[in-house]
Amino acid sequence: MTQAQAGTTARDALGIAADVRAGRRTAVSVVTGVIADIEARDTRYNSVTRIFGPAAVARAETLDQRIARGEDPGVLAGVPFGVKDLFDIAGEVTTAGSIVLRGNPPAQHDATVVARLQAQGAIAVASLNMDEFAYGFSTENAHTGVTRNPHDPACLAGGSSGGSAAAVAAGLMPFALGSDTNGSIRLPAALCGVWGLKPTFGRVPRDGAYPFAASLDVVGPMADSIGDLRAVFEVMDGRSLGALPDVASLRVARLGGWFARNISADFTAAIDAVMAHLNSTKVIELPEAARARAASFLITASEGGNLHLPRLRQRAMQYDPATRSRLMAGAMLPSATLVQAQRFRNWFRARIHELFSHHDVLVAPATVGPAPRIDQPTIVVEGREVSARANLGLFTQPISLAGVPVLSTPLAHPSGLPLGLQLIGAPGAEAALFAVAGELQRAGLARCTPLTTGD
């Protein structure tokens, strides 16, 4: 049983589309069923912030009429999906998880990727919870509340795209859109046990997505199956991946050092099993991973802080207090510090790109461990207690600096809570990541974790 099957209406996207195209189900019945399911069950998770009911039903009615006329409804016909609350939806105010933007006029057009998905028959049904302005790893929002992990509502869903991951994990919808600056797709996908893709920087258009740190931001999908993830990504990207490479021909290595410390013995054993199946014993070091994490943090803080500085000067008290303090600190970073961070970024990007002259896919953990409890303030890193929220991105932040694609791959965990791997590729090499992920799914090593708690 997958997460989607745990819900009462949602199932895999390609299955829904096949049913709708064949006339076995109507798009209206799918959309109204999903909306009813959200209304009945999401009080437990708080993944949804708004439902686009009338607009979604109207779009479904139009799609059903097109099918009745014999027109092609698109590859995602009738598939409901949600968007992190920073994507423009025509007729809706884009709030980016903040009351600061609630007075803005509604968006005139859908974000580019949303428009591409809806042109292929998918139907946006809801906006999804997030850390305010995407600044956080936990989806704890002073305005819209905390999103809870469907596998254990006492635990965090991760962030900042936590609403997207939780909605998919709970089976409320087969896929959702998120954004990733320092791990905001990869981390919640791992903690909630779903598939998530951070595409190559600049590959997928982010027009109509509210920015955080423009030199790092990407937008991407999360889904309940690797097949759905690929189909959605191809529509977002505007092109097919084509035939995937033979996994046996791919050079796979595991990241050690920074990425081997601070994880449990059973997590290590799970990665061992993955590498054994891929017939690889290669372990390599990613140079200066700790400095890469620091540089990514500084660049993000500065870009985010300066983006918001004019509004902070006028309306600071309307911000979530946690977001406000981080943005203000970022805006005050000295320029010399940023120059050093950018110089290091150029050096680090060159080093990681060099690794791909000898390797096709790198494997690393996405998380330190399973999702922490909401009331758990710390985790153990390097043998000492540190802030859980600030350190959830320990393994995702260094990779962000290079702009390479990463596929977050779900693993089961003995605790019942999921874990995740990062499959990391060279720029533009998403096809290799999908090939490896598909092989791990076929082998039973990578899978979405069934819900262990009842609704």
Side-chain angles (χ1 to χ4, degrees):
M1 182 182 71
T2 68
Q3 287 93 332
Q5 292 167 331
T8 58
T9 57
R11 41 167 283 195
D12 66 287
L14 294 177
I16 290 172
D19 283 352
V20 170
R21 291 168 65 90
R24 291 186 292 269
R25 302 170 72 181
T26 65
V28 168
S29 70
V30 173
V31 167
T32 56
V34 164
I35 290 173
D37 200 28
I38 291 170
E39 292 174 338
R41 298 200 296 124
D42 193 52
T43 53
R44 183 174 177 82
Y45 312 120
N46 192 36
S47 67
V48 172
T49 55
R50 279 175 292 170
I51 297 174
F52 310 138
V57 172
R59 186 174 287 276
E61 290 172 342
T62 298
L63 190 139
D64 286 334
Q65 292 164 6
R66 290 179 57 203
I67 293 172
R69 293 194 297 266
E71 299 176 15
D72 183 357
V75 297
L76 295 174
V79 178
F81 70 101
V83 300
K84 185 177 183 176
D85 192 22
L86 52 65
F87 288 89
D88 287 350
I89 299 292
E92 298 286 338
V93 176
T94 306
T95 69
S98 179
I99 63 171
V100 175
L101 302 184
R102 287 184 184 174
N104 284 4
Q108 296 297 304
H109 308 283
D110 290 337
T112 298
V113 291
V114 173
R116 288 181 177 181
L117 290 163
Q118 298 206 124
Q120 287 296 323
I123 299 171
V125 297
S127 66
L128 305 171
N129 205 12
M130 59 182 285
D131 289 287
E132 185 185 46
F133 293 117
Y135 206 166
F137 283 131
S138 60
T139 310
E140 294 172 288
N141 188 305
H143 314 302
T144 54
V146 60
T147 292
R148 297 175 177 272
N149 194 312
H151 297 278
D152 183 350
C155 292
L156 293 171
S160 64
S161 308
S164 301
V168 173
L172 298 175
M173 55 196 67
F175 78 89
L177 302 188
S179 66
D180 192 308
T181 304
N182 277 313
S184 289
I185 288 173
R186 292 164 284 161
L187 179 65
L191 295 182
C192 290
V194 301
W195 303 86
L197 178 68
K198 171 196 173 296
T200 301
F201 178 80
R203 176 166 182 165
V204 176
R206 58 190 189 193
D207 308 73
Y210 196 90
F212 175 22
S215 71
L216 292 168
D217 293 345
V218 298
V219 298
M222 301 185 201
D224 190 53
S225 75
I226 191 64
D228 284 355
L229 192 77
R230 175 179 176 175
V232 172
F233 170 64
E234 288 179 333
V235 172
M236 295 173 69
D237 189 38
R239 52 189 159 168
S240 171
L241 288 173
L244 300 183
D246 180 3
V247 174
S249 71
L250 295 175
R251 300 164 299 174
V252 181
R254 177 179 184 169
L255 292 182
W258 176 268
F259 298 92
R261 301 194 297 270
N262 301 306
I263 61 174
S264 64
D266 48 5
F267 195 177
T268 300
I271 302 176
D272 289 343
V274 166
M275 298 306 294
H277 182 77
L278 296 174
N279 196 30
S280 173
T281 58
K282 184 76 171 179
V283 180
I284 62 173
E285 292 281 343
L286 183 59
E288 300 283 8
R291 289 183 67 193
R293 183 190 180 211
S296 184
F297 172 82
L298 290 169
I299 292 167
T300 300
S302 177
E303 291 188 17
N306 282 283
L307 173 68
H308 286 272
L309 186 57
R311 192 180 291 118
L312 283 165
R313 285 172 170 153
Q314 297 178 346
R315 305 169 63 185
M317 299 312 294
Q318 291 183 319
Y319 281 73
D320 181 322
T323 307
R324 179 176 65 238
S325 62
R326 290 193 290 264
L327 289 172
M328 293 178 71
M332 292 187 290
L333 284 170
S335 59
T337 299
L338 269 298
V339 169
Q340 289 178 327
Q342 293 289 6
R343 285 175 177 166
F344 174 82
R345 176 187 191 165
N346 292 335
W347 177 88
F348 181 79
R349 181 184 292 155
R351 299 293 81 72
I352 195 169
H353 288 188
E354 284 174 3
L355 292 177
F356 289 111
S357 63
H358 305 287
H359 310 286
D360 299 303
V361 176
L362 306 178
V363 177
T367 62
V368 176
R373 291 179 59 87
I374 292 169
D375 61 1
Q376 178 182 339
T378 63
I379 57 175
V380 177
V381 173
E382 305 288 80
R384 58 192 181 90
E385 297 279 337
V386 298
S387 167
R389 275 68 171 170
N391 288 278
L392 287 174
L394 195 72
F395 299 139
T396 58
Q397 286 170 298
I399 307 302
S400 296
L401 209 59
V404 296
V406 187
L407 202 159
S408 184
T409 302
L411 300 176
H413 187 265
S415 73
L417 291 171
L419 292 166
L421 286 183
Q422 295 183 90
L423 301 180
I424 307 159
E430 281 84 351
L433 304 184
F434 276 97
V436 173
E439 173 58 30
L440 295 179
Q441 183 185 52
R442 284 188 290 274
L445 294 168
R447 61 189 184 277
C448 292
T449 310
L451 291 178
T452 56
T453 56
D455 284 319

